[in-house]
Every structure is written in C-alpha cells, then in structure tokens.
C-alpha cells in the first residue's frame, strides 16, 4: 500500500483534479479522499477498482461503468473500473471534475460547498494492475512495470470567500492565497466584518457590512444583539437601528457610540459629538466639590461642578457668598436664616430680613419668633390672645399623631342631634350611612372624641391633616355637593 497526501495549507473549494502518471500503468485499486479538519478525518470522493467484484469486496460499493474520458465525482462516492487497466503502460492520465456537468444541479449551495471543499487530498494506492493477456504474461518485461509512478497532480479550485470576493490574492511568494475581500469584510475567507463595520451581524453573500457610528473616536466596534433589541445604537444614517457598540473610545469619550464624555470631562453645548476635541476636563476642586463631575452651563458652556455647602465658582475653587477662608470656607458673621442675600464679602454689613434684627441678622425683633431661612420675612408674629406681645420659640415639642377611632359621633352643624357610627367589618374603619341620619339633617359632621379637644396652644403654627372617603351606592342619584365648611373648630371663651 502506498499513500500520497497533498496539503493545500488551507481549505479550498476544489473544482477539478488531474493526475498524470509516469512510466508505469495506472493503479488498480485505489481511493481518492479529502479532509477539511486538518487531516483528522477523511471522507472518500471516488473509488477505483480493477473489476466489479473488487468494488463490492474491497469497498462495499456497487460498480459504475463510465464511457467518458473524464470522471465525474458525485456527492455519493461511486466505484469505477474503466480507469484501472494495464494499458497504456506509460503517461496515462485521469481527469476528475466536481463542479461541472449535471452533478450539482439538484444540490443546495450549502450541499455543494460541503461536498467540494478540502484542505488535504489523499491518494491511497492499494493494488497494482497485472496484464490479463497471455502474450504480456510471457514477456518478462511487464514485471518492470509493477510499481506506482505519478509525475504530476494538478488541483484546480478557488478560495472560499463566502460571496464577498471576486478573486484570490497572494501577498508574497511564501504566503498562502487569500480572498481579496469586498463589502467591508475581512479575514482570509472574508468570514467576518472589518473592525469598524459591525453595526449589523455578518452575512454571507453580497450583503455589505455596515459601518458603526463612533463619531471618529474609535477604530473598532462589535455587534451586540441586546443593544440591537434595545435600539440604543445610533447608525451612520441618524436612526437608532442595529447593534454596533464602539470599543476603546478615545479622546475621553465613552458610551455606545462614543457620544458622551467620561467621568471628569464634559462637552460644551456648542460642540458636536464628532468634534476633534469633544471633551474638556472638569477640573473640579477636590476640597470644594463632591466629586470630579460637571455639567455644561447652558449660557456660557463652561463646565459647572457640584459644590459643597460654603463653596462656589464653576470649579468650586472659591468660597460661596457668605463664607470666607478658602479652602476651609466658614460662614460669615451674618446668619443666613435672617439675611435677604448673602454678602459678597464677610466685610460687608448684613442685610437683614423684615422682622429680623441684630448685627448678624440672628435675632427676631420684638413681637416675633421662630427665625427660619425658609420664611421670607425671617420670623413669625407672636399670637398670645391679646395677653402679651412677647414670645419665644418653644423647645422640646414633638409632632404627635392622634388616630383614635373610638368615641366618634355624627352630628349636625348646631350639635342638636347626634348619631353613633358603625364599624366596617372588612376594614375595621368607622363609617356612617346617609340612611342612618334623621330625615331633616342635610349636612352632618364627624364629632371628635374628647382627646382632640382641650388646651391646644402647644399646637400653634402646626397643621391639621385629615382624610375622608365615601362610596356612592349603585343607582343613588339623590346626592348633592356640600357647600358647607369642611372643618369647624369650636372655641370656648375664657375671660377668667
């Protein structure tokens, strides 16, 4: 047995093979095989045998008889005998075609591709031909022909370019041919999109790869199906379509399309995303700001940092009005609760609010209390029921919530009639039905338990919060909007 292996160095689509033999007859039994996985596994392309019995016994294939001068290799390997004869003794040839004729008419492109590709082509020569006529057997010269000789193997094929090239090219004498790729594709077989052309996934055939929109700040991008589904990638036509995600954005940009500035940098409003200098440094002062993050000012375009209390300026590199001592800014003598505007300098006189006094605007004037920054007048007027005009803000008070549900009654505006409410078994809330009220009562109120009454001077300046819900019965159209007060507070006079 003799095995001859031809390494094509890469996978090609083979169209024809011509084998030229030397000074001996063609082989008797032999197999033409191919491999596409680096020589790990081989598949038969064609069997050759001396006769039909050899086809069946050696290769388990029924013989096929050819009258043509060339072999048409088929998808399912056949075994032929017409090319395994002792004559001619020298310079015989076998021509084999894969893609010509009727062979591939009923095959899909994928099937044709799978059938005709090869990286290794192997000839397994398994039996020498003996002459079958007596004259030749009596001539001892035939014994000098009992060997294999091949002087040339011609293999015609083309590069596998997935429909993205018209020709192969060879960069140097020592390099293997590769596809001369079109349609923005790259790789030896044009089997991927070029680095900056992955807005949509690669496809075989004449479909071009689409360029990503990276605004000139990246040379690579990759396709991300999640980005495509979210429609968060801007294409070069100005629409959010495709899944291109820019990689390694430069010039301090980031984002799907290199469209935003990275942390610590900002883009002025009048600068486009594709500007040669798209981002400027924030340069926020590390002491006066809460981090190196800024936003462009709509009027000036300057990056404005987020300053801590007491600090100001675009970069937070100075004290805010009413503070001094940068970088350790402290409040000026003016109390910010009582001043109309913070002084530009701590040397300036404090500008007090209407009812505020003191050199530092830190006191309420007589008859007023509760100095607060939120109060435009500074302080609130005392309310002492005519007994006094002097008051101070109470201390130690706390907010309390009264949510007692027992002891409530229903009454009319004159407190002349009262009704006990019922309890909703589903919610446990106190409730009253219109049908429970006397017929001559149009407007009724909830009457609070005793806990809500009494001396409530400590609640001065506080708020009263309440909520009421009601349900309109189905088919009830007799109700009307109430125009009476929602809340009535009854005060008892105390002249003693």
């Amino acid at each position: 047995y003799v095995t001859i292996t031809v390494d094509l160095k890469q996978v090609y689509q083979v169209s024809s093979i011509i084998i030229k033999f030397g000074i001996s007859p063609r082989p008797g039994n032999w197999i033409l095989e191919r491999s596409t996985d680096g020589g790990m596994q081989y598949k038969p392309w064609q069997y050759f045998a001396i006769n039909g019995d050899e086809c069946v016994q050696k290769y388990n294939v029924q013989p096929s008889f050819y009258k043509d001068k060339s072999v048409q290799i088929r998808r399912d390997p056949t075994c032929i005998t017409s090319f395994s004869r002792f004559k001619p003794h020298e310079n015989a040839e076998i021509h084999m075609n894969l893609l010509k004729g009727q062979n591939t008419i009923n095959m899909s492109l994928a099937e044709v591709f799978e059938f005709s590709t090869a990286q290794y082509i192997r000839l397994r020569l398994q039996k020498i031909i003996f002459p079958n006529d007596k004259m030749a057997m009596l001539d001892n010269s035939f014994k000098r022909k009992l060997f294999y000789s091949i002087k040339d193997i011609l293999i015609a094929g083309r590069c596998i370019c997935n429909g993205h090239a018209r020709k192969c090219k060879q960069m140097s004498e020592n390099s293997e041919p590769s596809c001369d790729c079109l349609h923005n594709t790259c790789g030896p077989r044009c089997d991927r999109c070029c680095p900056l052309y992955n807005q949509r996934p690669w496809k075989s055939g004449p479909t071009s790869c689409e360029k990503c929109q990276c605004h000139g700040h990246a040379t690579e991008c990759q396709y991300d199906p999640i980005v495509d589904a979210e429609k968060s990638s801007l294409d070069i036509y100005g629409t959010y379509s495709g899944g291109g995600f820019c990689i390694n954005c430069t010039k301090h940009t980031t984002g799907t399309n290199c469209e935003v500035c990275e942390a610590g940098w900002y883009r002025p409003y009048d600068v486009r995303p594709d500007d040669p200098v798209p981002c400027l440094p924030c340069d926020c002062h590390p002491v006066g700001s809460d981090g190196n993050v800024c936003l462009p000012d709509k009027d000036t375009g300057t990056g404005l940092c987020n300053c801590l209390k007491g600090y100001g300026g675009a970069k937070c590199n100075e004290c805010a009005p009413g503070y001094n001592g940068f970088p350790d800014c402290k409040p000026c003598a003016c109390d910010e609760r009582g001043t109309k505007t913070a002084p530009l300098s701590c040397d300036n006189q404090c500008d007090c609010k209407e009812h505020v006094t003191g050199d530092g605007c830190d006191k309420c004037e007589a008859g007023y209390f509760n100095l607060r920054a939120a109060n435009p007048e500074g302080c609130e007027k005392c309310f002492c029921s005519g007994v006094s005009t002097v008051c101070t803000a109470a201390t130690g008070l706390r907010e309390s919530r009264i949510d007692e549900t027992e002891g409530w009654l229903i009454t009319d505006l004159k407190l002349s009639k009262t009704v006990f409410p019922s309890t909703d078994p589903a919610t446990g809330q106190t409730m009253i039905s219109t049908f429970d009220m006397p017929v001559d009562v149009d407007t009724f109120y909830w009457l609070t338990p005793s806990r809500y009454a009494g001396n409530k001077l400590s609640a001065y300046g506080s708020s009263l919060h309440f909520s009421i819900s009601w349900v309109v019965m189905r088919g009830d159209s007799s109700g009307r909007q109430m125009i009476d007060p929602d809340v009535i507070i009854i005060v008892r006079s105390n002249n003693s």
Side-chain angles (χ1 to χ4, degrees):
Y1 286 13
V2 174
T3 300
I4 300 173
T5 302
V6 180
D7 182 3
L8 303 180
K9 303 300 182 181
Q10 66 182 40
V11 178
Y12 289 93
Q13 187 173 22
V14 179
S15 58
S16 64
I17 301 173
I18 299 175
I19 301 178
K20 295 182 179 181
F21 297 92
I23 57 174
S24 65
R26 291 170 291 196
N29 295 352
W30 64 287
I31 309 172
L32 177 67
E33 299 175 319
R34 51 116 184 187
S35 172
T36 58
D37 59 1
M40 300 296 294
Q41 292 183 334
Y42 282 85
K43 297 180 181 179
W45 251 339
Q46 185 67 53
Y47 296 104
F48 296 86
I50 294 175
N51 53 53
D53 293 338
E54 294 282 303
C55 287
V56 176
Q57 295 173 8
K58 295 290 185 180
Y59 306 126
N60 195 29
V61 177
Q62 291 296 323
S64 298
F65 300 97
Y66 274 77
K67 295 183 179 180
D68 297 335
K69 295 182 180 180
S70 63
V71 178
Q72 184 67 57
I73 297 177
R74 303 186 182 279
R75 182 181 180 186
D76 296 320
T78 61
C79 180
I80 57 179
T81 60
S82 55
F83 292 90
S84 297
R85 297 172 182 172
F86 191 72
K87 295 180 181 180
H89 298 165
E90 298 179 357
N91 300 320
E93 295 183 3
I94 298 179
H95 292 240
M96 292 168 278
N97 295 317
L98 285 88
L99 301 180
K100 294 182 179 181
Q102 303 296 316
N103 186 32
T104 59
I105 289 179
N106 297 321
M107 296 170 62
S108 66
L109 292 176
E111 291 173 334
V112 172
F113 179 80
E114 194 283 329
F115 155 73
S116 60
T117 53
Q119 180 182 357
Y120 288 86
I121 296 178
R122 187 166 70 180
L123 286 67
R124 292 171 57 194
L125 312 180
Q126 298 179 327
K127 191 171 186 179
I128 295 176
I129 299 176
F130 281 84
N132 55 5
D133 57 278
K134 295 181 179 180
M135 295 298 297
M137 293 293 291
L138 294 174
D139 185 3
N140 289 330
S141 64
F142 84 92
K143 295 180 179 180
R144 295 194 297 270
K145 302 290 184 180
L146 301 181
F147 61 88
Y148 303 120
S149 64
I150 298 176
K151 64 180 180 180
D152 207 353
I153 300 176
L154 303 177
I155 302 173
R158 59 188 177 190
C159 299
I160 298 173
C161 302
N162 295 289
H164 291 299
R166 295 190 180 96
K167 61 180 179 179
C168 291
K169 62 180 179 180
Q170 191 165 8
M171 302 303 294
S172 65
E173 293 183 0
N174 298 325
S175 65
E176 298 301 321
S178 61
C179 301
D180 189 7
C181 296
L182 303 172
H183 311 140
N184 303 318
T185 58
C186 289
R189 301 183 189 175
C190 308
D191 54 356
R192 61 180 182 271
C193 291
C194 292
L196 194 57
Y197 291 81
N198 288 286
Q199 185 68 17
R200 306 187 189 280
W202 175 91
K203 292 182 179 180
S204 60
T207 304
S208 294
C209 293
E210 186 177 319
K211 187 177 182 179
C212 294
Q213 175 58 281
C214 298
H215 296 104
H217 307 314
T219 58
E220 296 180 62
C221 64
Q222 63 184 19
Y223 175 78
D224 189 330
I226 298 178
V227 173
D228 195 351
E230 294 175 346
K231 296 189 179 299
S232 57
S233 177
L234 183 70
D235 63 18
I236 57 175
Y237 306 106
T239 60
Y240 285 92
S241 177
F245 188 91
C246 300
I247 303 173
N248 299 324
C249 295
T250 60
K251 301 177 183 178
H252 305 288
T253 60
T254 186
T256 302
N257 300 104
C258 302
E259 78 282 12
V260 296
C261 295
E262 60 187 9
W265 296 75
Y266 74 98
R267 188 173 78 244
Y269 278 106
D270 58 348
V271 174
R272 294 173 54 85
D274 57 357
D275 193 272
V277 184
C279 300
L280 300 176
C282 290
D283 288 339
C284 300
H285 196 278
V287 175
S289 68
D290 63 356
N292 196 26
V293 178
C294 63
L295 294 174
D297 182 78
K298 293 183 179 180
D299 297 325
T300 65
T302 304
L304 299 180
C305 302
N306 192 20
C307 299
L308 299 175
K309 185 176 181 180
Y311 294 85
K315 309 295 184 183
C316 305
N317 57 351
E318 59 187 57
C319 290
Y323 291 80
N324 65 352
F326 185 85
D328 187 17
C329 295
K330 300 292 184 182
C332 300
C334 299
D335 193 325
E336 62 180 6
R337 298 176 301 166
T339 54
K340 294 180 180 178
T341 57
L344 299 178
S345 170
C346 287
D347 298 331
N348 296 344
Q349 184 178 358
C350 302
D351 185 15
C352 298
K353 293 180 180 179
E354 183 177 357
H355 300 299
V356 181
T357 186
D359 293 338
C361 301
D362 55 352
K363 300 176 183 178
C364 291
E365 65 181 21
Y368 292 83
F369 76 108
N370 193 21
L371 177 62
R372 291 187 304 128
N375 189 341
E377 296 181 352
C379 300
E380 299 177 48
K381 189 175 183 179
C382 295
F383 181 78
C384 300
S385 303
V387 178
S388 172
T389 59
V390 179
C391 64
T392 58
T395 59
L397 299 180
R398 61 182 179 85
E399 183 178 352
S400 62
R401 178 186 178 95
I402 303 175
D403 52 6
E404 185 175 309
T405 59
E406 295 182 358
W408 286 84
L409 298 174
I410 306 298
T411 184
D412 60 353
L413 185 60
K414 298 179 180 180
L415 299 179
S416 61
K417 298 178 181 180
T418 57
V419 176
F420 289 95
S422 58
T423 302
D424 187 345
T427 63
Q429 295 179 344
T430 306
M431 60 176 289
I432 185 69
S433 172
T434 306
F435 301 107
D436 296 332
M437 296 301 298
V439 178
D440 58 343
V441 176
D442 292 332
T443 303
F444 52 89
Y445 290 86
W446 291 95
L447 182 62
T448 62
S450 59
R451 186 180 177 188
Y452 290 86
N455 189 341
K456 299 300 178 183
L457 287 176
S458 61
Y460 176 74
S462 300
S463 301
L464 176 65
H465 301 275
F466 67 94
S467 61
I468 298 176
S469 62
W470 62 90
V471 178
V472 179
M473 301 299 291
R474 179 179 297 178
D476 185 2
S477 60
S478 61
R480 61 180 178 82
Q481 182 179 2
M482 292 178 57
I483 60 175
D484 300 293
D486 291 328
V487 177
I488 299 176
I489 299 177
I490 301 175
V491 181
R492 185 178 62 183
S493 176
N494 185 5
N495 297 323
S496 60

